[in-house]
Every structure is written in structure tokens, then in C-alpha cells.
Amino acid sequence: MGPKYDGKYLKELLNKKLGDLTLKDTLTQVIIPTFNIKYLFPVIFTTVQAKMDELNNPKLADLCLSTSAAPTYLPGHEFEINNSIGTIRKFDMIDGGVAANNPTLTAIMHERKEMIIRRQLESEKICKEEDECNNNITSKKMLILSLGTGTPKKNGKYSAADSSKWGVLGWVYNNGTTPIIDIFSDASADMVDYHIGTIFQYEHDFHKNDNNKRDHSRKKDYLRIQEDTLSGDLSSVDIATKENLENLEKVGKNLLKKTVSRVNLTTGEFEELPHEKGTNEDALIQFAERLSHERKLRFANR
């Protein structure tokens, strides 16, 4: 027994396409979560850190193999990084989704750190107190666009009564499903929704408050687009037939026409926002306009 795929073709393809390119060579800043299975600890790779430290600058091929090594589907990936003075850093990696199935919060925390560093550099001093450093470093300065990859429809897939009869094998594999993996991956993503809901004041009770103008304006700063009603082949992780990919494309196009939604933090289901009249497509256009306006202002102030 082993993973469903041996990963040999993927490794060959990535090495061919990416060659010796490293993380610092990316055209834009990226944040890629992985998980070091040897130390049971997440490792977050970023373009910023890669440019600052050779030991945080892996080959892109190694990074892609690491972050795609989903348990039971693809084998873990082992690699090492050498710096110019001979120091070696070794990694035993699997998919970062086991720790950050929804990496939005990881991106937010990284950007907050970058904001603090930029302020310190601009002021040419190190803040003596944390409050001084964090002044105005808030979510008000962020626009968050979180694009989900789709999840199966939640229709009472498991129950406490059923799980009470499972042993080790039952939790790992049960009637064609993998309960322990489903539960941990969903819990990881749902906790991100909970945390971001708190940051952007999206608690479910606030949705019903028509008089809360502050909540309504903050809502424009965070857009989560996710399809949570997938079923059959559409909900699979690895069915990449032409027919299934075309059907997934149709799902995506239909999702653009749906009203902007948010996760109900009580039930875990996506619900249309009562204040919103626009679609996901409208919201994306508004995001693009705001980003374009901000970019023009920054260039004008240089």
C-alpha cells in the first residue's frame, strides 16, 4: 500500500518546467504553506523571506512538490537548501493544507508583519513598545479576496452515533470516505472563517443589524467566494478528465452570478448577505476598481 499516485510524472514535469528557478524569482509576492512532517510543524515560505535568507529560498519545483503532497494522494517530498557558507537546511514536507487548508489568515498575518517592518524602516527606528508599532496596522488597511476551490455539499455526512462505532480503521476509511481527513481539513478551513469573521466584524448576529453602518462598510473589504454544494465527480480531488474540468468551469461561471455570501458561523453554511444586492461578479469588479485607484494614487505619490 502507498499513496494513490507515485508522483513521478509530476516531479519530472515540475523539474522540466521550473528548472533551477527559486522562490525569490517569482514575479509577484507569494505565500506558500507547507508542513514539515519530521517535526510536525508548519513551514510558511514567502517571497520576502526568500530574498532575505538563502535558507528560506527553495527551488520552486521542490516547493510545488511539497505543497501538493496531499496525504494518501501523493508521496511526501524531501529536499534540502544550501547557502553560500555551507549551511544545510533539510525538509521532510507534505501538503500545507493539513495546517492551513484555507491560507487566507496566513496571508493576513504575513502582511501585518510586513506593514510593521515597513513602518520601522520608514521611521528609521525600532519601536520601543508594541502598541507604537501596531498603531494603525489594522485590517482597515487591507482588502481580502479569498477564492475557495469548492467543497462537497454538507448534508449530514457523519453522525456521532456512527462515529461511536468506529475504531482506528473506521476513522481512516469508511464507506469510501476518509472521516479523519475530512474533519481535520474542514475544521482548519472553518477556523479561518471564524477568525476572519471576527477581524472584519462578520459575526452572524451583525448580518441582521440593518442599522450597523460600520459593519456594512467593513463588509466591502473582505470577499469570500466559495461553492459549497459540489457533489459526485465535481467534489473529487483528483478527477481531471476533460468532461469534469469543463463541468467545474461551468460551476465557476454560475458562481459569479450568485449573490455575495458569507459563512454562517453557527451552521457553517454559506448564506446570502441581506444587505447585498450585487453578485460575486459585481463584487470582483468593485475590488478591481478599488485596487486600480489605490495603485494610481501610489504611483502619483512617488
Side-chain angles (χ1 to χ4, degrees), residues 24-244:
K24 71 177 183 180
D25 298 319
T26 56
L27 298 180
T28 189
Q29 291 192 28
V30 298
I31 302 170
I32 302 177
T34 59
F35 192 84
N36 193 322
I37 197 171
K38 186 172 184 177
Y39 299 106
L40 299 180
F41 195 77
V43 181
I44 312 299
F45 289 99
T46 71
T47 305
V48 172
Q49 290 179 327
K51 291 179 178 179
M52 297 172 59
D53 183 357
E54 291 177 290
L55 294 178
N56 283 316
N57 184 36
K59 288 184 178 181
L60 285 175
D62 285 326
L63 193 49
C64 290
L65 287 168
S66 298
T67 197
S68 62
T72 75
Y73 286 95
L74 287 164
H77 182 61
E78 180 181 359
F79 69 95
E80 60 183 38
I81 303 175
N82 301 281
N83 67 8
S84 55
I85 61 174
T87 304
I88 299 175
R89 187 180 181 190
K90 296 183 178 180
F91 299 89
D92 294 81
M93 312 300 275
I94 61 172
D95 180 14
V98 299
N101 198 32
N102 178 348
T104 307
L105 192 61
T106 302
I108 291 175
M109 293 302 101
H110 171 77
E111 185 55 29
R112 283 177 62 88
K113 182 176 71 174
E114 289 302 307
M115 286 180 177
I116 293 172
I117 292 174
R118 284 196 294 269
R119 283 201 61 190
Q120 290 176 344
L121 293 176
E122 289 170 2
S123 63
E124 296 183 353
K125 68 175 183 178
I126 298 177
C127 300
K128 296 180 180 179
E129 297 182 4
E130 184 178 354
D131 288 341
E132 183 182 353
C133 287
N134 287 333
N135 185 32
N136 294 325
I137 307 299
T138 69
S139 59
K140 293 180 181 179
K141 292 181 176 291
M142 298 182 185
L143 288 181
I144 307 297
L145 173 60
S146 176
L147 302 178
T149 57
T151 62
K153 185 176 182 179
K154 297 179 180 179
N155 54 356
K157 192 173 184 179
Y158 306 115
S159 71
D162 290 337
S163 67
S164 65
K165 303 172 186 177
W166 297 340
V168 174
L169 293 179
W171 278 98
V172 174
Y173 187 82
N174 187 274
N175 293 326
T177 66
T178 51
I180 194 69
I181 294 177
D182 292 345
I183 291 168
F184 274 110
S185 61
D186 272 25
S188 172
D190 291 343
M191 284 305 297
V192 171
D193 281 323
Y194 185 86
H195 287 306
I196 296 180
T198 301
I199 293 172
F200 286 87
Q201 298 190 7
Y202 280 126
E203 286 84 351
H204 182 57
D205 289 343
F206 280 27
H207 291 175
K208 301 177 181 178
N209 188 352
D210 292 336
N211 297 320
N212 195 328
K213 296 181 180 179
R214 184 169 181 267
D215 175 61
H216 183 58
S217 64
R218 297 291 290 116
K219 180 164 47 189
K220 302 291 185 181
D221 295 342
Y222 172 54
L223 177 62
R224 171 69 169 168
I225 299 180
Q226 173 72 302
E227 177 59 67
D228 66 342
T229 61
L230 299 180
S231 61
D233 288 352
L234 290 174
S235 64
S236 71
V237 176
D238 59 337
I239 298 180
T241 62
K242 184 175 185 294
E243 179 184 7
N244 202 43

Side-chain angles (χ1 to χ4, degrees), residues 251-294:
V251 170
K253 290 180 178 179
N254 290 334
L255 185 57
L256 286 174
K257 304 302 180 183
K258 291 185 178 181
T259 302
V260 173
S261 302
R262 191 76 67 236
V263 170
N264 180 323
L265 297 180
T266 300
T267 66
E269 296 180 352
F270 270 77
E271 297 178 347
E272 294 183 356
L273 294 179
H275 296 302
E276 291 292 336
K277 296 181 180 179
T279 63
N280 288 320
E281 184 175 25
D282 296 329
L284 285 172
I285 292 172
Q286 292 172 9
F287 250 56
E289 290 174 345
R290 293 177 68 183
L291 288 172
S292 177
H293 178 68
E294 176 66 21

